[in-house]
Amino acid sequence: MELDPHGEVARDLDEALTVAESPGVTATLRRTLERARLTDKERLGQDFARLVRSTGLTRSAVARHLGTSRSRLSTYETGTTTPSAVIWRRLEELARPRPVHHP
């Protein structure tokens, strides 16, 4: 059986090589793979940490707003401890963009 050097497999391989040569695509694929390898708790921790960063506040200020300690906040961000739904909701509210009112 002779393989077609221009067949479907060759086209798929050519496309994969083209995509792999793009640094942006490679970085995105690597991040996706790394995230897929996380446990559910680690993934939740990353999502929590991303929300904390989006508030624009210090971690100490976020902890105060959530009614918890800075050290407990850290355990949420690492996925060591799962935050309650109440804490998660408070963080979402804190991270929500506020409309700017001009006098």
Side-chain angles (χ1 to χ4, degrees), residues 66-92:
L66 298 181
T68 192
S69 67
R70 172 65 184 90
S71 61
R72 175 58 67 169
L73 183 73
S74 179
T75 67
Y76 296 152
E77 293 174 311
T78 61
T80 305
T81 304
T82 303
S84 69
V86 171
I87 293 292
W88 193 273
R89 177 61 54 102
R90 287 178 187 165
L91 179 58
E92 286 177 330

Side-chain angles (χ1 to χ4, degrees), residues 25-54:
V25 171
T26 302
T28 299
L29 291 173
R30 188 159 310 283
R31 279 192 307 273
T32 301
L33 179 60
E34 288 169 359
R35 183 159 171 87
R37 289 178 172 162
L38 296 175
T39 65
D40 288 341
K41 283 184 129 186
E42 290 168 332
R43 203 172 297 117
L44 186 69
Q46 281 190 353
D47 293 343
F48 193 89
R50 195 173 8 268
L51 264 177
V52 169
R53 286 190 304 275
S54 75

Side-chain angles (χ1 to χ4, degrees), residues 51-65:
L51 264 177
V52 169
R53 286 190 304 275
S54 75
T55 67
L57 301 172
T58 65
R59 284 175 167 69
S60 295
V62 170
R64 272 194 311 278
H65 282 286

